[in-house]
Amino acid sequence: MAKVSIFLLGFMLLHCWVAMNEAKYVKYKDPKQPLNVRIKDLMDRMTLEEKIGQMTQIERKVASAEIMKKYYIGSVLSGGGSVPKAQASAEDWINMVNDFQKGSLSTRLGIPMIYGIDAVHGNNNVYNATIFPHNIGLGATRDPKLVRKIGAATALEVRATGIQYAFAPCIAVCRDPRWGRCYESYSEDHKIVQAMTEIIPGLQGEIPANSPKGVPFVAGKRKVIASAKHYVGDGGTTKGINENNTVISRHGLLSIHMPAYYNAIKKGVSTVMVSYSSWNGKKMHANHNLITKFLKNHLHFKGFVISDWQGIDRITTPPDANYTYSIYASINAGIDMVMVPLNFTEFIDGLTLLVKSNAIPMNRINDAVRRILRVKFVMGLFEDPLADHSLVHQLGSKKHRKLAREAVRKSLVLLKNGENPNQPLIPLPKRVPKILVAGSHADNLGYQCGGWTIEWQGVTGNNVTKGTTILSAIKSTVHKDTEVVYKENPDLDYVKSNNFSYAIVVVGEKPYAETNGDSLNLTISAPGPETIENVCGQVKCVTVIISGRPVVIQPYVDKIEALVAAWLPGTEGNGVTDVLFGDYGFRGKLPRTWFKTVDQLPMNVGDSHYDPLFPFGFGLKTKSHKAN
C-alpha cells in the first residue's frame, strides 16, 4: 500500500512539474518558432498600454529602469552629445544600457528595449572611438567596398558600448551645398549615394540569399540595426535651408531622392527615419502617401519607420502648437516609432486617447508594433538582450584606426598641383631645411572631425577625444632633420624673413550640424583667407581645405601652388600626410560640383547653367612611392 502511495505521489509530482513547464513555455520566447508565429503570439498577449510603450522612444536623460518598467518603453536613445559621463568608457556605456534593459526585462512580458545613437561617422558620441571621414569624403573615394568595411567597424564600436541601433546611413542627395547637412550626403549624384548603401550590409550583415524583399536583417551581436534617412527629399530643400520645403515633381523626387531607398530596402535595412522637410508643402512626418502607400505598400518595406527628434512636433507651425493633431497625423501617416524624446507621458497619453476614441484605428497600432517586434526578433534581441564586455577592445582599435586612415587618404581630392603639369609641388619632399605649417585647422582635432563629434555641433581643441592632428602627422612624417615651424596665422613679415622651403596651410570651416550649418555665403572661417594671403603670396604652399562642402576659394586659387579638398577627415590625420608626402597617390574625385561663386547655386552636374570652378568627378592623380 505504501509503495502504491509513493508511486502515485511521484506520478503526481511529475505531472505537476510537466504542467508547470508547459505553463512557462511561450511561443514568442522560442527561437525555433517561425518569426511570424513569435510575433503573433506576443502581440496576442499585449495590452494597448504595452503596445503604445513599444512605439515610444525616449532620451536617456529621462530614462531609468523604473520608467522602462512602468511605461513599457520600446526604445531609448542618446541625442548628440548625450553621454553617461564625460569621457565615459565602453564599460560605462554598457552599464547604463544594461540598467535600462533590466527595467524592460522585468515587465510582465519581458520585451527588451533597443538603444539607439547617432553613429554617423563611427561611434562619434563616444570618447576614444574611431572617427571616420564624414559621408562627403567617403563619396569622394568612389569605393563601396571600403564603405562596407567602415560599416562593419562602426557596428563593432557601437556594440562595444552595448548599443544595438545606429541612426545611419544618411542617404540624402545634397543638391545645394548651402545645406548644413551637406557633409552627411555622399554626393549630389544619386548613383554614388546608391553605391554607398553598401555600408548597410557592413552595419547589419549580409542579407541571406533567400530573404524576402523588404524584410529587415541584423546578423547577431556584432552587428547593429541601421536606419536609412531622412525619408525623403531632405537634400533638395529650397536654397539648402534645413528642414525646409523640397519643390520638385514626383518624377524628380523618385528619380533623384528615392533611388538609394530602393537599394537600402533590397539590402535589408531595418528602419527608415523620416525627414523634417516637406515635399511641395506637405510635411514628410504627415505624408501618408509616401510613408504608407509608397514605402510600406509599394516598396514592401517590412521594418519600422521612425520619426526624427521631435519630428512629429514640427508637423504644426509653430512646432508643438497642437500636439494631439501631431500624434494623429504622424501615426496615421505610418510612423511606427516616435522619437519623442523628452515629454513621453504627453505622447503616451495622447496616443492612448486617440486610439480609444477611434481616431487612430487599432490595426494601425498593430502594424507599428508588429514591425518593431519583427526587428527585435530578427536581430536576436530576445535571446541576447544584455550586453557583455567581450567587444570593449574594439572601441578605437588599431585595426579600425588603420581603416580610417585608409579612408582619409582615398577621400582627399587634389584640385591643383603646381602652375603647370611639369612642375608639380606634390608629393612634397620630406627632407628639407625648414617648413611652415599654418592655419586654424592644422592643429585642431575637433575642427578636423567636424559636427556630430563628441557633441552634436562638434567641438574645438585637441583634448576632445583621441586622434592625430594634421600637424602631428606632418611632424612624424618628415625627416628628423627637417624643422617644422607651426604658426597659426603668421603675418607677412614673418613669412618673408624665415626662408621656408615650402608651407602647408590648413584652413576651412568650423564645426556645425544641421540648421547651424546653413550658410548663404560658404566662406572659409576667419582668419583663413588672411592666412592664405600672407603665406601663399610669399612661399610655395599647399592649401588643405577642411570643410563639409565646397567653399569659396576662387579668389585665392592663383596664389595657391597646390590645393587639396580634405573634407572632414576625422581622427586619423596621418591619412592626409600619406598622400601629401607621396607614400600613397591622390585618387579622390569630387563627389559634388565645386562652384565659382555662391550666386551660381544650386548648380549640379547636368544643369544647363553648369559653369564650375572644378567639375563633378574632377581630381588630379599623383604617383606613390609605394604600391597603393
Side-chain angles (χ1 to χ4, degrees):
M1 188 72 181
K3 285 181 180 179
V4 173
S5 298
I6 291 168
F7 173 78
L8 285 172
L9 181 63
F11 180 79
M12 288 169 65
L13 286 170
L14 177 65
H15 184 75
C16 289
W17 181 82
V18 170
M20 283 170 64
N21 276 278
E22 282 179 351
K24 282 181 184 177
Y25 175 81
V26 286
K27 287 181 180 178
Y28 77 86
K29 290 184 178 180
D30 183 357
K32 293 177 182 175
Q33 289 288 341
L35 175 61
N36 288 333
V37 170
R38 297 182 78 184
I39 293 170
K40 183 180 186 307
D41 181 65
L42 179 50
M43 288 191 64
D44 286 347
R45 301 168 190 274
M46 294 174 74
T47 64
L48 176 61
E49 191 179 9
E50 287 165 330
K51 289 176 179 178
I52 288 174
Q54 286 301 301
M55 297 171 67
T56 309
Q57 186 180 63
I58 66 175
E59 220 284 331
R60 54 158 291 280
K61 291 172 185 171
V62 297
S64 67
E66 293 73 29
I67 293 291
M68 303 303 291
K69 183 177 181 181
K70 182 178 179 181
Y71 295 97
Y72 312 103
I73 300 297
S75 184
V76 182
L77 83 150
S78 276
S82 180
V83 300
K85 66 180 185 182
Q87 298 188 1
S89 67
E91 290 86 353
D92 292 327
W93 282 93
I94 287 169
N95 292 339
M96 177 192 71
V97 174
N98 279 349
D99 183 54
F100 297 147
Q101 189 67 282
K102 286 169 186 174
S104 296
L105 297 176
S106 68
T107 56
R108 182 178 72 93
L109 296 171
I111 304 172
M113 66 89 194
I114 300 168
Y115 197 101
I117 198 165
D118 283 285
V120 297
H121 62 142
N123 197 2
N124 46 262
N125 284 281
V126 177
Y127 182 79
N128 193 36
T130 308
I131 306 297
F132 293 92
H134 266 298
N135 286 357
I136 189 169
L138 299 182
T141 70
R142 303 293 203 276
D143 192 341
K145 289 180 181 176
L146 173 69
V147 170
R148 181 180 178 139
K149 289 178 186 175
I150 289 170
T154 300
L156 286 170
E157 296 211 13
V158 170
R159 282 289 198 167
T161 54
I163 296 169
Q164 317 103 336
Y165 185 8
F167 301 132
C170 178
I171 53 174
V173 182
C174 175
R175 303 291 285 175
D176 193 324
R178 293 174 290 186
W179 186 37
R181 305 193 81 148
C182 202
Y183 63 76
E184 296 185 56
S185 167
Y186 294 107
S187 178
E188 71 188 46
D189 181 356
H190 70 83
K191 293 188 185 71
I192 291 173
V193 179
Q194 286 180 271
M196 294 305 170
T197 59
E198 196 61 16
I199 196 170
I200 292 168
L203 290 164
Q204 294 193 157
E206 184 71 41
I207 192 165
N210 60 348
S211 182
K213 184 191 173 188
V215 174
F217 177 74
V218 182
K221 293 173 69 174
R222 297 169 69 88
K223 298 294 180 181
V224 294
I225 300 165
S227 185
K229 66 182 189 182
H230 307 85
Y231 185 81
V232 59
D234 50 338
T237 58
T238 302
K239 294 184 179 179
I241 298 169
N242 192 42
E243 304 184 18
N244 203 25
N245 190 26
T246 297
V247 180
I248 195 170
S249 68
R250 183 178 178 86
H251 173 75
L253 186 80
L254 296 186
S255 61
I256 294 173
H257 299 283
M258 192 68 80
Y261 287 94
Y262 307 151
N263 298 77
I265 291 165
K266 192 181 286 185
K267 291 172 183 178
V269 74
S270 295
T271 73
V272 170
M273 186 183 292
V274 180
S275 177
Y276 288 128
S277 58
S278 304
W279 175 44
N280 295 337
K282 177 77 171 177
K283 291 276 188 181
M284 275 307 310
H285 274 76
N287 197 318
H288 180 268
N289 280 331
L290 283 176
I291 297 173
T292 296
K293 287 188 177 178
F294 195 82
L295 178 64
K296 291 183 173 181
N297 297 346
H298 181 68
L299 298 184
H300 305 291
F301 174 63
K302 297 292 193 292
F304 67 81
V305 177
I306 187 169
S307 83
D308 208 334
W309 176 283
Q310 293 178 338
I312 72 168
D313 305 44
R314 267 106 140 165
I315 288 172
T316 59
T317 304
D320 205 19
N322 184 342
Y323 195 60
T324 301
Y325 174 75
S326 292
I327 298 170
Y328 166 82
S330 60
I331 301 301
N332 277 332
I335 291 175
D336 304 310
M337 182 180 283
V338 174
M339 195 184 292
V340 179
L342 302 171
N343 194 0
F344 59 90
T345 55
E346 182 185 11
F347 170 74
I348 289 170
D349 292 346
L351 181 52
T352 303
L353 190 65
L354 286 165
V355 174
K356 288 184 175 178
S357 64
N358 296 318
I360 294 176
M362 197 62 211
N363 63 5
R364 173 73 273 275
I365 300 300
N366 288 336
D367 171 58
V369 176
R370 190 177 297 114
R371 290 167 177 275
I372 293 163
L373 294 179
R374 181 178 290 125
V375 172
K376 291 185 177 186
F377 279 123
V378 162
M379 67 183 293
L381 195 58
F382 281 79
E383 287 69 57
D384 286 302
L386 294 169
D388 57 38
H389 291 186
S390 62
L391 295 176
V392 295
H393 64 285
Q394 297 283 355
L395 190 70
S397 71
K398 284 184 179 179
K399 182 180 178 182
H400 296 163
R401 291 185 184 278
K402 185 180 178 184
L403 178 65
R405 181 173 176 172
E406 178 189 351
V408 173
R409 64 175 176 258
K410 288 181 175 178
S411 70
L412 269 58
V413 181
L414 183 59
L415 299 174
K416 184 180 179 182
N417 191 16
E419 294 306 324
N420 66 71
N422 297 323
Q423 292 180 299
L425 183 58
I426 293 172
L428 297 169
K430 294 179 182 179
R431 186 169 189 171
V432 292
K434 184 163 66 168
I435 65 175
L436 171 65
V437 180
S440 52
H441 290 55
D443 191 34
N444 196 311
L445 194 61
Y447 285 5
Q448 201 171 293
C449 292
W452 291 111
T453 306
I454 304 302
E455 295 179 12
W456 175 39
Q457 292 295 326
V459 283
T460 181
N462 293 334
N463 297 321
V464 294
T465 191
K466 293 181 182 176
T468 305
T469 67
I470 293 169
L471 175 64
S472 298
I474 292 167
K475 287 179 175 178
S476 66
T477 302
V478 297
H479 192 273
K480 61 181 177 59
D481 294 334
T482 298
E483 183 185 355
V484 178
V485 177
Y486 173 61
K487 201 162 181 66
E488 188 172 323
N489 187 29
D491 60 34
L492 208 57
D493 291 338
Y494 181 85
V495 180
K496 279 181 182 177
S497 61
N498 268 277
N499 199 27
F500 294 109
S501 305
Y502 59 81
I504 301 172
V505 177
V506 191
V507 294
E509 296 185 296
K510 291 178 180 175
Y512 55 81
E514 299 191 50
T515 304
N516 286 0
D518 287 356
S519 171
L520 294 177
N521 55 33
L522 296 177
T523 51
I524 293 168
S525 300
E530 181 187 357
T531 308
I532 293 171
E533 293 279 353
N534 289 346
V535 176
C536 297
Q538 301 303 316
V539 63
K540 285 184 178 180
C541 83
V542 178
T543 296
V544 178
I545 306 291
I546 304 292
S547 68
R549 53 202 165 186
V551 289
V552 175
I553 55 172
Q554 189 185 30
Y556 325 113
V557 169
D558 288 343
K559 283 189 176 176
I560 295 168
E561 192 87 10
L563 179 62
V564 176
W567 316 114
L568 298 168
T571 50
E572 307 314 302
N574 286 110
V576 177
T577 53
D578 279 345
V579 287
L580 285 183
F581 292 97
D583 291 328
Y584 293 82
F586 274 90
R587 53 174 281 181
K589 297 177 182 179
L590 285 181
R592 57 177 316 100
T593 300
W594 205 295
F595 57 86
K596 291 176 180 174
T597 68
V598 291
D599 296 338
Q600 297 175 294
L601 301 175
M603 179 176 65
N604 295 285
V605 65
D607 289 351
S608 57
H609 64 290
Y610 198 68
D611 181 28
L613 182 63
F614 299 105
F616 171 85
F618 180 81
L620 300 173
K621 292 188 176 182
T622 59
K623 290 182 179 178
S624 62
H625 298 320
K626 64 181 185 181
N628 225 329

